[in-house]
Amino acid sequence: MKICVIGTGYVGLTTGVCLAESGFDVTCIDKDVNKIRQLNEGEVPFHEPGLDSLLKKVMVGKKIKFSNKIESAIRSNDIIFIAVGTPSMEDGSADLAAVFEVAKSIKKNLNAFKILVIKSTVPVGTNKKVAAILAGRGGKSKTRFAVISNPEFLRQGKALADYKNPHRIVIGGTNQRAIDVIMKVYAGCHCPLIVTSPENAEIIKYASNSFLAMKISYINEVANICERYNADIREVAAGMGLDPRIGDRFLEAGIGFGGSCFPKDMKALVHFADLVDYDFKLLKAALAVNERQKLLPVEKLKKNLGSLRGRTIGLLGLSFKADTDDIREASSIALINCLLGEKVKVRVTDPRAEKNMKRLFPEINYFDSPYEMADGCDGLILITEWPEYSALDFKRIKPKLKKPLLIDGRNLFDPKTMKKLGFIYEGIGRN
Ligand code: UGA
């Protein structure tokens, strides 16, 4: 079977490479000529563990091609996965311009029956809108295509493992012939396959991401209470998580969630709820809690240092989580903005995300080594739980600091050990 994947972001590229590994002949399309050039040279344009080597493997087997020629790719493939971005607009709604543009290209090149598979995260009703674009005036070409909603649940940093071991595959559609074909595409996956309506599939994606984000905001609020009552959120979360109705995942308190998905999808869900006159209060509160949580380290700095004007503060990590160079909606951005507003001299280090951050904040000081960064700092804030930071030699770091203050935004370190080493240690939700 031949498959075309449009969009080579981390969802599109992972999907394309994994489909090629499963034996399909895959053509990946992207508008960005630089990306296509890099991919043709066997280089992944972003950091995603394992994707580089799998890409090289499928390229050797000639199972994958990269091109920016969308028309010919549409004409020569009958299954087309759409994995283009749907970023937030100012009012919180998802920007569907890229999805509709692809739909229009497909309409122009409908030379045979085509199955469109929407992998991009799109609001409820988009499947129908895409179908309307393809049908055209009077719905003339209705018999020549089917639109399937097939949301993706993989995480950045764990994209390959999640793609290969999904918890469920959701296929939303109304055309049985197309549903059967897509079920065959996923025949190798050993997980529940949910065949449902396009609307249900679209909502499943938003409701899942928003629920997970809400869980994080909830545990973060509980953590803030723990701090005030001399309790430890790690132990509280462990005690909660043993109840299978709650579950032990996504109960890690910290300085808020980021990334290209949770905030964007929550805002879009609030927006499409608004469109039907529904005020989704819970999600609005979860978003507000997250914004407050991102700035928690500033309060902790002030508690320990008083005025921050002229202080030098070092940030360990910039990306929104470990194993990615992505800084979209990262807590580090809100923090840097706030620290700069307080006239702090900001120093940063990150194993992968420096290049992306430099575009946003060229004026701050970047360091390759956390040890060099620490030299002369009034305090450090751990932003991202990179494994290399767990292995830092704090005996070496302490004498370099003007004040041995460590704010652990991800509860990565053991408070007792850090205190024994002579640090003023502040975790999140831990006494
Ligand atoms: C998220 C979902 O987990 C995926 O299922 C989904 O496919 C993806 O969005 C998407 O829609 O594309 P991702 O954004 O890659 O994946 O990141 P997560 O691993 O879910 O983490 C998101 C944020 O939550 C990170 O900033 C992380 O630090 C934070 N987090 C996570 C916590 O603060 N506490 C936790 O317990 C878990």
Side-chain angles (χ1 to χ4, degrees):
M1 243 190 276
K2 284 166 65 183
I3 297 180
C4 167
V5 181
I6 301 177
T8 59
Y10 82 98
V11 170
L13 189 60
T14 305
T15 305
V17 169
C18 290
L19 286 170
E21 196 199 17
S22 318
F24 298 99
D25 289 302
V26 179
T27 305
C28 290
I29 298 293
D30 205 292
K31 267 177 154 181
D32 185 333
V33 276
N34 281 330
K35 258 188 172 180
I36 293 300
R37 184 189 39 76
Q38 265 180 290
L39 287 164
N40 274 321
E41 285 164 10
E43 219 181 280
V44 175
F46 46 86
H47 177 67
E48 183 58 50
L51 197 53
D52 266 84
S53 46
L54 193 56
L55 170 65
K56 290 197 174 84
K57 181 179 148 195
V58 293
M59 282 178 93
V60 169
K62 299 208 184 329
K63 297 305 284 178
I64 199 161
K65 295 191 282 216
F66 297 98
S67 161
N68 53 0
K69 298 201 169 53
I70 187 164
E71 275 87 8
S72 55
I74 293 168
R75 296 181 78 79
S76 51
N77 287 278
D78 298 332
I79 305 175
I80 300 157
F81 279 73
I82 304 179
V84 294
T86 54
S88 272
M89 307 260 268
E90 219 144 82
D91 62 358
S93 61
D95 183 351
L96 296 175
V99 174
F100 293 153
E101 198 186 315
V102 172
K104 284 176 196 156
S105 298
I106 297 173
K107 159 119 189 94
K108 277 195 214 144
N109 294 284
L110 264 187
N111 57 336
F113 182 79
K114 308 269 169 203
I115 302 174
L116 271 73
V117 185
I118 306 180
K119 271 231 163 276
S120 304
T121 301
V122 292
V124 58
T126 306
N127 182 302
K128 279 205 175 126
K129 287 184 186 163
V130 167
I133 292 176
L134 269 97
R137 263 193 230 134
K140 270 182 274 169
S141 32
K142 235 179 195 158
T143 49
R144 302 182 61 196
F145 68 87
V147 186
I148 298 287
S149 295
N150 171 223
E152 181 51 66
F153 300 101
L154 57 80
R155 292 163 296 171
Q156 282 175 255
K158 306 258 185 304
L160 287 182
D162 285 354
Y163 186 93
K164 291 179 180 181
N165 307 294
H167 296 292
R168 77 292 210 191
I169 288 168
V170 176
I171 300 177
T174 49
N175 180 314
Q176 197 54 48
R177 174 179 163 196
I179 291 170
D180 291 343
V181 171
I182 300 308
M183 283 174 79
K184 275 194 200 129
V185 169
Y186 289 117
C189 295
H190 307 286
C191 70
L193 238 152
I194 299 163
V195 176
T196 185
S197 72
E199 289 78 11
N200 290 345
E202 289 164 337
I203 294 181
I204 287 171
K205 170 70 191 185
Y206 281 97
S208 302
N209 268 6
S210 299
F211 184 82
L212 290 170
M214 230 171 49
K215 205 172 171 188
I216 300 169
S217 276
Y218 179 77
I219 204 68
N220 282 340
E221 293 229 89
V222 177
N224 297 341
I225 297 299
C226 283
E227 264 180 36
R228 288 158 174 81
Y229 279 99
N230 218 4
D232 188 320
I233 191 63
R234 302 283 296 241
E235 290 184 32
V236 170
M240 289 166 63
L242 286 171
D243 182 335
R245 292 171 302 174
I246 297 173
D248 59 359
R249 314 273 302 269
F250 269 70
L251 285 182
E252 276 169 44
I255 50 169
F257 57 80
S260 65
C261 304
F262 284 174
K264 162 179 88 74
D265 295 349
M266 294 165 88
K267 286 177 199 157
L269 179 42
V270 166
H271 183 267
F272 67 74
D274 266 347
L275 291 180
V276 286
D277 290 327
Y278 190 81
D279 182 12
F280 208 142
K281 291 188 176 157
L282 217 50
L283 284 194
K284 286 182 184 167
L287 278 162
V289 167
N290 195 50
E291 288 313 304
R292 184 179 62 189
Q293 199 71 8
K294 287 178 180 177
L295 299 182
L296 201 58
V298 179
E299 271 176 41
K300 290 177 184 286
L301 284 176
K302 284 185 176 165
K303 189 177 91 186
N304 287 284
L305 298 172
S307 166
L308 298 184
R309 180 177 274 271
R311 300 278 192 186
T312 303
I313 302 296
L315 307 192
L316 290 161
L318 295 168
S319 55
F320 81 96
K321 62 173 184 178
D323 284 328
T324 177
D325 56 0
D326 200 334
I327 56 161
R328 283 175 288 176
E329 302 275 343
S331 305
S332 57
I333 298 177
L335 255 174
I336 294 171
N337 272 322
C338 183
L339 293 174
L340 291 176
E342 299 274 349
K343 307 283 179 249
V344 167
K345 291 177 203 145
V346 180
R347 294 182 178 185
V348 299
T349 183
D350 186 285
R352 298 273 175 187
E354 182 180 317
K355 202 168 122 205
N356 287 335
M357 200 53 108
K358 267 188 180 157
R359 285 191 211 119
L360 273 190
F361 295 105
E363 72 273 36
I364 59 177
N365 297 304
Y366 292 83
F367 289 81
D368 289 336
S369 148
Y371 300 99
E372 277 170 33
M373 181 185 79
D375 204 358
C377 275
D378 292 288
L380 298 177
I381 311 174
L382 184 285
I383 307 280
T384 315
E385 66 289 9
W386 282 103
E388 28 290 66
Y389 295 157
S390 322
L392 281 176
D393 179 357
F394 279 98
K395 279 193 189 136
R396 207 176 131 198
I397 287 183
K398 188 172 167 264
K400 293 177 184 279
L401 294 169
K402 276 198 224 151
K403 184 158 180 152
L405 174 62
L406 175 66
I407 296 167
D408 181 358
R410 299 290 169 195
N411 288 342
L412 188 65
F413 306 111
D414 173 44
K416 278 189 194 142
T417 313
M418 295 318 292
K419 280 176 193 163
K420 250 192 218 154
L421 287 170
F423 276 86
I424 305 165
Y425 174 87
E426 294 253 3
I428 305 296
R430 316 179 82 178
N431 176 249

